[in-house]
Amino acid sequence: LLAQLRGERVIAGFDSMLTAAQAFVEQRTKAASGDKAAVAEVFVCELELGYYTLKQAREKLAGMELSTPQKARVDPILANGEVLLILRSVMDTQDKAKLAEAGKKCAEMKKEGRLPTEERTVVGFYSMIMDYAESTGDAALFEEARNAVKGKLGDGPEVQTWAAKQEERLKAIQ
């Protein structure tokens, strides 16, 4: 895999994908000759294309110097991967201690500015924070997380029902 189609399946999108693939191949050639900047760019592109697990990505990152724009591309991918691991670890549990620990991890990530960007992880991330905030009595954190989820979900009737239930939870915390 050398590139992904981003956007609609139209000629301009395929042209853009071809340009990205050509640039990736050029960066690989430079990286093979020892160009450190190219090595970093190849890693970032490979990470974006899904070449690595979270663990592999972290290992490859050790000692690698990324530019600020590269770091801005890498950080959300790592955050999304970390959140997915957290969510999977509690997917089928009702164990309140495990759920609280998962929520605490998400709250710590948020505090550190490590935020997921993928829709499938954002809602789960903030839902875990809401549960954690409720368990610790942190109304401000609960409200902030609730607002983030609501912002992602929109304003449909089912969202309004959900929001009303969350408002009750918030009042109980306060």
Side-chain angles (χ1 to χ4, degrees), residues 5 12 56-57 65 81 89 91-92 97 113 126 130 137 141 146 173:
L5 178 65
Q56 290 169 330
E65 290 187 35
S89 75
M91 188 179 301
D92 295 322
Y126 283 107
M130 287 170 55
L141 181 61
R146 180 207 55 191
I173 297 169

Side-chain angles (χ1 to χ4, degrees), residues 9 14 18 23 48 52 76 109 111 123 126 137 141-142 155:
R9 302 182 122 222
F14 288 110
L18 178 60
E48 290 172 332
Y52 306 111
M109 286 180 67
K111 186 176 182 180
V123 173
Y126 283 107
L141 181 61
F142 182 93
D155 284 329

Side-chain angles (χ1 to χ4, degrees), residues 76-77 79-80 115-119 121-122 152:
I77 296 170
N80 288 327
L115 304 174
T117 56
E118 292 179 1
E119 190 167 331
T121 57
V122 170
K152 275 290 184 191

Side-chain angles (χ1 to χ4, degrees), residues 107 110 126 129-149 166-167 169-174:
K110 180 188 169 304
Y126 283 107
I129 292 174
M130 287 170 55
D131 292 343
Y132 172 70
E134 184 176 34
S135 74
T136 60
D138 188 337
L141 181 61
F142 182 93
E143 186 171 17
E144 188 178 345
R146 180 207 55 191
N147 291 342
V149 172
Q166 304 321 307
E167 188 63 31
R169 287 174 71 189
L170 177 59
K171 286 180 183 176
I173 297 169
Q174 294 170 330

Side-chain angles (χ1 to χ4, degrees), residues 1 24 28 39-52 60 73:
L1 183 65
F24 182 49
R28 276 187 161 174
V39 169
E41 184 60 26
V42 167
F43 165 75
V44 173
C45 290
E46 289 175 343
L47 182 63
E48 290 172 332
L49 292 169
Y51 279 40
Y52 306 111
K60 283 197 87 76
R73 290 164 53 202

Side-chain angles (χ1 to χ4, degrees), residues 69-87:
Q70 289 169 332
K71 190 166 174 23
R73 290 164 53 202
V74 167
D75 288 348
I77 296 170
L78 297 179
N80 288 327
E82 189 171 348
V83 171
L84 278 175
L85 288 177
I86 292 168
L87 295 176

